[in-house]
């Protein structure tokens, strides 16, 4: 970590950058990235363990599911501040206050649009009325906690005089963090830095609060803009694991943290994040959202530390620093190793799970161990990735109301292909048969004849967990129904079984999100 010298009056070192993670709010809000309640708890736990300072756990007014998730994360989180989002409306703020009641440290984040285009068309409010709402919302939030963050939505496209007026009033009303969102990912580094500098120089009371960045990635500059904001005086960065979020996403936590850690010479700052936990967090978020991480993604992509070309390999063998600016270990990349085979027992399996960062309850452990034994019977070599796929699959299906019991498929050149499926729906078994244009089509049709027509298939994607023809297939299925988009996943050595499990998982998730989209549309986010 870089040297952090000056200290602030609140005891925090001046160069210490607070990491505000919004994977569970801005990230989860993006179409298809919805997580189950259990998955949200898991993500929050890993964020807390890795040293994230503030976890934005959700938007409590958006749905009962969001409320319950924020509430339980607030109850469980040990170190981080837990934050709930709210519009500038009394009912939103009260709901956020209620959800955060049990948090050791609670923050309410309230926002309202301040740009001309948002005020005129989205809010249909005059600037004076928006300004009044800023004061009223921050004042109300302060009744629940003394940690209140205020954001001018579309801040980077807001007129400077009006932005200064709103920021000043938010501070006077009791806001302790002022976040400046680049909601549409429009700004560029020099401009964003100048904006933060301008606010700190012009607004009375600016020295009493923490300025924060919140940059979207529409032009691919979210991380650069966030770091420029820090150079301009911001001391909090809002970001998400893998950069997930609305449209092109948010600034990626792993990139921000590693840029600061690696380039202390030009970025004399420090975060409290334990970078060695980055990879595990990235994998978890990718798994629970079923959003794959692109191979060449900075820090966490499969190829981020791979050196293929002869010249690079030669250089690496002579000295790793020839082509490596950070070590794989520093972000938690562990060499994939041959772990166990069919003779490995419970003890070795438990040890391996611990090494991979999992802590499973008794039932989940038994189920995962049984799946491991089955896999070891079918597959000669069992790798870490196989175990991760099994455990993630078990966790993804733990709360499912509908489960796949059995599947038989007739495939081949003869056609039409046929599938017979047995599903367990709330403890009752149903069997159906269907033929289709290929085995996957037949399988999905058989499932639909049990659960009924309805959701539209948006995406069907298969990837092999490891090399070899006996590799497990990991399948993602994205379904859409009445504006709700969800992604389900399944893993198995049989691609068709994995496909059926992924489809059924998506159907289970749709049931959980029903009603949520309407509530979200009503909240304007
Ligand atoms: O991008 C944005 O403006 C937001 C706000 C709610 C902070 O996510
Ligand atoms: Zn955002």
């Amino acid at each position: 970590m870089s040297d952090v010298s000056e200290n602030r009056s609140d005891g925090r070192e001046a160069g210490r950058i607070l990491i505000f993670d919004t994977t569970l709010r801005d990230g989860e809000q993006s179409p298809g990235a919805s997580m189950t309640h259990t998955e949200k708890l898991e993500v929050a736990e890993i964020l807390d363990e890795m040293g994230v300072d503030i976890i934005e756990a959700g938007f409590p007014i958006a749905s009962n599911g969001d409320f319950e998730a924020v509430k339980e994360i607030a109850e469980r989180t040990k170190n981080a501040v837990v934050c709930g989002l709210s519009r500038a409306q009394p009912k939103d703020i009260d709901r956020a206050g209620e959800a955060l009641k049990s948090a050791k440290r609670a923050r309410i984040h309230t926002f309202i649009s301040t740009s001309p285009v948002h005020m005129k068309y989205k809010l249909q409010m005059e600037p004076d009325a928006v300004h009044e709402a800023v004061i009223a919302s921050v004042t109300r939030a302060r009744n629940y906690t003394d940690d209140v963050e205020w954001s001018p939505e579309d801040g980077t496209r807001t007129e400077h005089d009006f932005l200064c007026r709103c920021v000043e009033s938010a501070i006077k009303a009791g806001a302790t963090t002022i976040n400046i969102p680049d909601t549409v990912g429009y700004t560029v580094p020099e401009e964003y830095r100048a904006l933060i500098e301008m606010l700190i120089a012009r607004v009375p009371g600016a020295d009493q609060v923490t300025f924060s960045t919140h940059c979207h990635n529409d032009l691919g500059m979210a991380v650069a803009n966030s770091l420029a904001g820090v150079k301009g005086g911001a001391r909090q960065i809002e970001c998400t694991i893998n950069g997930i979020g609305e449209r092109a996403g948010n600034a990626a936590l792993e990139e921000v943290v590693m840029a600061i850690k690696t380039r202390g010479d030009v970025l004399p700052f420090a975060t409290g994040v334990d970078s060695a936990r980055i990879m595990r967090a990235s994998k978890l978020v990718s798994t629970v959202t079923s959003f794959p991480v692109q191979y060449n993604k900075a820090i966490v992509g499969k190829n981020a530390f791979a050196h293929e070309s002869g010249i690079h390999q030669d250089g690496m063998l002579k000295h790793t620093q020839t082509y490596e600016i950070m070590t794989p270990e520093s972000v938690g990349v562990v060499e994939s190793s041959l772990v166990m085979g069919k003779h490995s027992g419970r003890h070795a399996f438990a040890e391996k799970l611990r090494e991979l960062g999992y802590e499973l309850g008794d039932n989940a452990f038994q189920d995962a161990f049984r799946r491991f034994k089955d896999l070891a019977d079918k597959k000669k070599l069992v790798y870490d990735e196989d175990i991760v796929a099994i455990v993630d699959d078990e966790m993804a299906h733990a709360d499912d109301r509908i489960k796949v019991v059995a599947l038989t498929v007739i495939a081949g050149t003869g056609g039409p292909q046929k599938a017979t499926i047995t599903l367990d729906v709330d403890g009752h078994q149903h069997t159906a048969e269907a033929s289709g244009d290929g085995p996957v089509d037949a399988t999905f049709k058989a499932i639909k004849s049990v659960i009924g027509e309805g959701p539209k298939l948006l995406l069907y994607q298969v990837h092999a967990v490891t090399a070899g023809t006996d590799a497990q297939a990991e399948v993602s299925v994205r379904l859409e129904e009445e504006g709700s988009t969800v992604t389900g996943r399944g893993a198995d050595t049989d691609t068709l079984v994995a496909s059926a499990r992924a489809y059924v998982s998506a159907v289970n998730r749709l049931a959980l999100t029903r009603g949520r989209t309407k509530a979200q549309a009503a909240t304007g986010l």
Side-chain angles (χ1 to χ4, degrees):
M1 293 258 163
S2 33
D3 180 37
V4 178
S5 42
E6 321 145 58
N7 286 317
R8 288 165 40 114
S9 53
D10 62 7
R12 208 175 68 232
E13 294 150 328
R16 170 73 155 79
I17 306 303
L18 297 172
I19 296 295
F20 175 115
D21 180 278
T22 183
T23 305
L24 293 167
R25 199 279 297 169
D26 213 319
E28 211 254 349
Q29 207 171 291
S30 62
S34 57
M35 303 174 204
T36 65
H37 185 79
T38 316
E39 289 166 347
K40 288 180 190 174
L41 299 185
E42 265 177 69
V43 172
E45 192 178 341
I46 205 163
L47 293 174
D48 195 27
E49 280 169 9
M50 72 197 284
V52 159
D53 298 285
I54 302 107
I55 299 172
E56 189 164 53
F59 187 17
I61 195 79
S63 69
N64 287 338
D66 268 54
F67 177 86
E68 290 303 330
V70 175
K71 184 164 176 285
E72 199 164 341
I73 291 168
E75 283 160 5
R76 288 164 164 245
T77 301
K78 297 190 181 86
N79 308 308
V81 173
V82 180
C83 176
L85 183 70
S86 72
R87 290 169 303 178
Q89 294 189 8
K91 63 177 190 312
D92 284 40
I93 296 164
D94 296 346
R95 195 83 174 131
E98 175 68 22
L100 293 165
K101 230 166 35 190
S102 316
K104 277 205 188 104
R105 295 156 73 204
R107 174 178 296 186
I108 294 180
H109 175 191
T110 180
F111 74 97
I112 190 165
S113 294
T114 49
S115 67
V117 64
H118 273 225
M119 289 192 291
K120 183 166 180 195
Y121 296 106
K122 175 180 153 169
L123 298 178
Q124 297 176 339
M125 281 168 81
E126 290 300 322
D128 281 347
V130 168
H131 178 251
E132 284 307 309
V134 173
I135 299 170
S137 57
V138 174
T139 306
R140 195 174 186 100
R142 279 296 302 242
N143 293 331
Y144 292 97
T145 170
D146 56 11
D147 186 347
V148 173
E149 172 170 330
W150 180 72
S151 291
E153 190 184 0
D154 205 14
T156 51
R157 294 194 300 167
T158 298
E159 286 167 357
H160 286 191
D161 287 349
F162 186 59
L163 187 60
C164 287
R165 185 175 161 217
C166 290
V167 169
E168 181 177 349
S169 296
I171 296 172
K172 281 205 181 113
T176 44
T177 300
I178 299 293
N179 178 46
I180 306 298
D182 183 30
T183 305
V184 290
Y186 179 70
T187 198
V188 297
E190 304 78 52
E191 181 185 68
Y192 193 61
R193 174 180 179 160
L195 180 63
I196 303 282
E197 282 172 344
M198 182 278 292
L199 287 167
I200 292 175
R202 271 184 61 183
V203 175
D207 56 334
Q208 300 303 310
V209 298
T210 301
F211 277 82
S212 165
T213 69
H214 179 108
C215 298
H216 280 271
N217 205 30
D218 300 64
L219 293 173
M221 285 188 277
V223 170
N225 289 336
S226 305
L227 295 172
V230 165
K231 289 214 152 186
R235 288 295 175 267
Q236 173 179 288
I237 297 178
E238 303 201 352
C239 46
T240 58
I241 301 286
N242 298 338
I244 65 167
E246 285 283 4
R247 306 179 310 277
N250 290 62
L253 179 146
E254 60 279 8
E255 295 178 23
V256 162
V257 166
M258 290 313 288
I260 291 175
K261 185 168 171 155
T262 308
R263 292 306 311 271
D265 54 336
V266 285
L267 297 166
F269 308 107
T271 75
V273 171
D274 173 5
S275 64
R277 296 184 190 241
I278 281 178
M279 206 61 196
R280 173 77 199 107
S282 164
K283 284 207 169 118
L284 177 66
V285 169
S286 167
T287 303
V288 299
T289 56
S290 294
F291 274 31
V293 174
Q294 84 196 46
Y295 280 12
N296 61 333
K297 162 86 178 62
I299 319 293
V300 291
K302 208 180 164 82
N303 291 353
F305 293 94
H307 300 274
E308 285 286 336
S309 92
I311 295 175
H312 286 209
Q313 283 178 350
D314 181 55
M316 284 291 291
L317 288 172
K318 289 180 175 138
H319 199 294
T320 51
Q321 278 179 12
T322 49
Y323 286 103
E324 211 165 67
I325 57 167
M326 53 199 155
T327 64
E329 297 77 34
S330 68
V331 299
V333 173
V334 276
E335 271 298 298
S336 169
S337 55
L338 171 63
V339 278
M340 291 171 297
K342 59 182 176 182
H343 300 299
S344 308
R346 266 165 225 280
H347 184 70
F349 186 65
E351 215 24 67
K352 181 44 84 182
L353 289 184
R354 238 187 314 278
E355 201 184 298
L356 293 171
Y358 291 106
E359 260 176 61
L360 301 187
D362 273 358
N363 289 345
F365 176 81
Q366 297 306 346
D367 290 344
F369 184 64
R370 188 182 35 75
R371 291 267 308 263
F372 158 69
K373 282 299 217 186
D374 288 348
L375 184 66
D377 273 342
K378 286 186 206 151
K379 205 170 175 277
K380 256 201 275 171
L381 308 175
V382 180
Y383 293 92
D384 286 358
E385 290 94 325
D386 287 313
I387 295 182
V388 169
I390 289 175
V391 177
D392 287 343
D393 187 69
E394 277 300 321
M395 292 192 309
H397 294 273
D399 300 330
D400 284 359
R401 277 185 53 216
I402 308 172
K403 292 184 197 293
V404 176
V405 177
L407 174 70
T408 310
V409 181
I410 301 172
T413 50
Q417 289 74 20
K418 272 196 190 135
T420 308
I421 194 145
T422 303
L423 299 178
D424 183 309
V425 184
D426 292 329
H428 301 283
Q429 294 206 349
H430 303 265
T431 299
E433 194 181 279
S435 48
D437 191 6
V440 176
D441 189 45
T443 303
F444 290 179
K445 280 188 175 140
I447 295 171
K448 280 194 221 164
S449 61
V450 176
I451 60 159
E453 273 301 328
K456 184 171 157 208
L457 180 68
L458 298 183
L459 169 108
Y460 170 74
Q461 186 174 281
V462 185
H463 103 265
V465 173
T466 56
T469 49
D470 61 354
Q472 288 191 88
E474 220 165 29
V475 176
S476 298
V477 164
R478 190 165 303 156
L479 298 178
E480 195 258 343
E481 186 186 66
E482 293 177 8
S484 278
T485 311
V486 296
T487 314
R489 61 187 197 278
D492 200 277
T493 45
D494 184 319
T495 309
L496 294 171
V497 174
S499 304
R501 287 172 70 82
Y503 193 97
V504 166
S505 161
V507 169
N508 280 299
R509 276 158 191 261
L510 265 183
L512 292 176
T513 58
R514 245 165 231 140
R516 186 173 178 214
T517 314
K518 279 188 200 131
Q520 268 183 341
T523 60
L525 265 186

